[in-house]
Amino acid sequence: MQLQFLGTGAGMPSKERNTSALALRLLEERGTIWLFDCGEATQHRILHTTIRPRKIEKVFITHLHGDHIFGLPGLLSSRSFLGGEDTLTLYGPKGLKEWVENTFAISNTHITYPIEYVEVQDGIVFEDEQMIVKAKELEHVIPCFGYRIEQKPLPGELLIEKARELNVPKGPLLGKLKNGFDVTLVDGTVVYSKDVTSPPKKGFVVTILGDTKYCESAIELSRNADIVVHEATFDHSTTHLAANYGHSTNIEAATIAKEAKARNLILNHISARFLAEDLQKLLIDARKVFENTFISKDFSHYLWKDEKIIEE
């Protein structure tokens, strides 16, 4: 699993940071990409990456402020031009479907692939045999959601020597055992998958939060997560402004991660008021509360591998 930040700014684009967009690259897990928010010019950012729009399977919108959605119609349109045929599912608050469809109607935009809409409410918004996505409303000035993405446990590794000891022949039976199925040999012997595989591996948990002030919902979504992506629009000296505008400070984000017992925190949605020389202080102050804190920048790339986060 990889996280690639396409836009990490707040409110409006700057020379250093575009507006909100984050790609969850699940190419190894399911051959697709999930996009979280789609601020203005997100597709321009994608042009500078290896992301292929036709590989985008799902788009999760946290809320309907412009810096999180103004790039969506253009990206959806370009996906048609680039040969996208598979269904794309849009998740977001009430009003998202109406806004997208009205934009298409007024601009006479034709989409060549099916779009499914899911109006997000608290609870499970998606589940299949691999993944489960939970949503919870945060505390912002308009309805805004955070998402918790959980990978279900992975099958254990096949213990080939044990399988050989039980006379399992080479071939498809080994594959069945590895995938959790018991098998019967030609002599009638039943070989149980649990006897020839290691215990299941824990899947990853990633929490991606929309705009929010400090709140209990953010803590619940972040509980024991491997990676939490949390906004840090303000710093500790402007805490009063953060609350007024429904946003958080770097210290509040770090406190959320600490109270949730998360493993890693990535600060996101950084205000243009912070210059390059300010960012190190934002990071240092947050690390005093929660040590495993990182600060995102456009195109920054984080890999989750072997239970560790790797910043690339």
Side-chain angles (χ1 to χ4, degrees):
M1 180 274 293
Q2 302 174 45
L3 287 170
Q4 186 164 18
F5 288 83
L6 302 171
T8 59
M12 65 180 186
S14 67
K15 291 181 179 179
E16 290 76 27
R17 296 178 183 273
N18 199 46
T19 49
S20 293
L22 169 59
L24 178 62
R25 300 173 66 113
L26 299 170
L27 296 174
E28 291 188 11
E29 292 81 2
R30 56 195 296 131
T32 60
I33 293 170
W34 293 359
L35 189 65
F36 290 80
D37 286 335
C38 190
E40 180 183 352
T42 292
Q43 66 173 321
H44 292 242
R45 285 307 210 227
I46 287 175
L47 292 173
H48 298 279
T49 73
T50 59
I51 294 172
R52 298 292 176 261
R54 67 177 181 272
K55 288 287 188 180
I56 297 175
E57 174 193 17
K58 300 178 182 297
V59 180
F60 295 85
I61 298 298
T62 60
H63 64 296
L64 302 185
H65 275 157
D67 59 324
H68 293 256
I69 63 169
F70 280 170
L72 185 57
L75 176 63
L76 297 178
S77 176
S78 293
R79 190 173 183 268
S80 284
F81 285 111
L82 295 170
E85 298 178 348
D86 296 333
T87 299
L88 184 145
T89 307
L90 289 180
Y91 300 80
K94 182 178 181 180
L96 177 62
K97 179 180 180 180
E98 180 183 7
W99 179 74
V100 171
E101 292 188 343
N102 282 344
T103 301
F104 285 165
I106 293 170
S107 61
N108 198 27
T109 299
H110 177 62
I111 301 299
T112 59
Y113 55 87
I115 296 179
E116 294 181 352
Y117 294 87
V118 176
E119 186 175 300
V120 172
Q121 298 178 346
D122 284 10
I124 296 172
V125 297
F126 171 74
E127 183 174 9
D128 66 5
E129 68 280 357
Q130 289 181 311
M131 314 288 287
I132 181 168
V133 182
K134 301 174 182 177
K136 200 165 187 63
E137 188 168 356
L138 304 170
E139 293 189 19
H140 192 41
V141 294
I142 65 172
C144 182
F145 289 87
Y147 297 98
R148 179 183 173 95
I149 305 95
E150 301 177 2
Q151 182 186 33
K152 294 183 177 180
L154 303 169
E157 295 181 1
L158 179 66
L159 305 176
I160 190 67
E161 293 302 323
K162 286 192 174 183
R164 287 175 178 169
E165 290 173 5
L166 295 172
N167 299 315
V168 180
K170 292 182 179 180
L173 293 183
L174 290 174
K176 288 184 177 181
L177 288 167
K178 184 180 186 302
N179 291 323
F181 297 99
D182 302 330
V183 301
T184 302
L185 305 183
V186 291
D187 64 0
T189 301
V190 177
V191 178
Y192 297 96
S193 175
K194 64 181 177 61
D195 294 335
V196 293
T197 55
S198 61
K201 295 180 180 178
K202 174 185 174 294
F204 63 78
V205 178
V206 178
T207 298
I208 299 173
L209 302 173
D211 292 2
T212 185
K213 61 183 181 180
Y214 177 94
C215 66
E216 189 62 32
S217 291
I219 297 173
E220 291 180 22
L221 286 171
S222 303
R223 190 82 63 193
N224 299 315
D226 296 308
I227 301 174
V228 174
V229 180
H230 196 299
E231 69 130 291
T233 313
F234 293 85
D235 65 0
H236 191 57
S237 68
T238 52
T239 302
H240 61 293
L241 292 176
N244 290 341
Y245 290 103
H247 286 292
S248 297
T249 69
N250 57 331
I251 301 301
E252 289 171 327
T255 302
I256 292 287
K258 180 179 180 180
E259 293 181 353
K261 293 182 170 55
R263 299 177 69 176
N264 299 278
L265 168 68
I266 304 176
L267 301 178
N268 190 36
H269 202 265
I270 309 299
S271 171
R273 69 166 55 84
F274 299 118
L275 303 178
E277 55 267 27
D278 300 321
L279 298 180
Q280 190 62 22
K281 186 175 188 309
L282 280 178
L283 186 58
I284 290 172
D285 288 347
R287 282 179 172 172
K288 291 176 182 177
V289 177
F290 185 79
E291 183 177 357
N292 292 338
T293 299
F294 305 83
I295 190 165
S296 66
K297 58 183 182 295
D298 285 21
F299 302 117
S300 58
H301 205 171
Y302 295 86
L303 174 66
W304 182 251
K305 185 176 182 180
D306 300 327
E307 297 288 309
K308 295 179 181 178
I309 189 171
I310 302 170
E311 185 177 9
E312 297 182 327

